[in-house]
Amino acid sequence: HVQLVESGGGSVTAGGSLKLSCAATGFRFNDRCMAWFRQAPGKEREGVAHIRPDTVSTYYADSVKGRFTISKDNAKNTLYLQMNNLKPEDTARYACAAAKQPFGGSCPLTYNYWGQGTQVTVS
């Protein structure tokens, strides 16, 4: 049974930082692409970042590039998102996601397993 549980959200003022965590269980964490998505009220879900299982390659949306860092600890089965220099437009519910299939050369466009999300509010 796949389970993804996010934590670390909260309310901060612009320019502040937060670090999100996503604890994963129920699948082989070290052979899957993992990703962070976000969705603000009235807006479509947006892919924020993803990371290959070997951590060699990462991807960031242009809106967060240079401010956010995705990482993972395979020993702890945990995915992270370090968010610095937060802006009001970063306000959203952030969710982690896991690919259904083991890594096959590139990370997928869609993800099958999702956490409940954690709210980030920047004022």
Side-chain angles (χ1 to χ4, degrees):
H1 175 65
V2 174
Q3 191 169 17
L4 301 171
V5 180
E6 301 93 339
S7 61
S11 297
V12 297
T13 56
S17 298
L18 284 173
K19 186 173 184 177
L20 306 183
S21 299
C22 171
T25 58
F27 65 100
R28 287 177 58 89
F29 182 77
N30 62 1
D31 70 4
R32 307 294 170 90
C33 288
M34 299 290 296
W36 286 98
F37 288 78
R38 67 184 181 186
Q39 188 166 20
K43 294 187 176 182
E44 291 188 357
R45 187 168 62 196
E46 174 189 20
V48 174
H50 73 230
I51 187 168
R52 283 174 36 159
D54 58 7
T55 73
V56 168
S57 175
T58 56
Y59 159 84
Y60 297 94
D62 288 342
S63 56
V64 307
K65 202 171 293 183
R67 300 186 298 121
F68 290 12
T69 302
I70 188 171
S71 63
K72 64 198 299 273
D73 185 333
N74 286 336
K76 295 182 179 180
N77 281 11
T78 302
L79 178 73
Y80 302 101
L81 185 68
Q82 176 68 48
M83 306 185 294
N84 297 329
N85 191 21
L86 283 161
K87 304 176 181 180
E89 51 264 43
D90 294 318
T91 295
R93 190 165 187 84
Y94 286 71
C96 67
K100 183 177 182 180
Q101 301 296 330
F103 181 68
S106 62
C107 286
L109 295 176
T110 59
Y111 287 76
N112 299 86
Y113 304 119
W114 295 84
Q116 293 294 317
T118 184
Q119 179 67 34
V120 171
T121 303
V122 185
S123 59

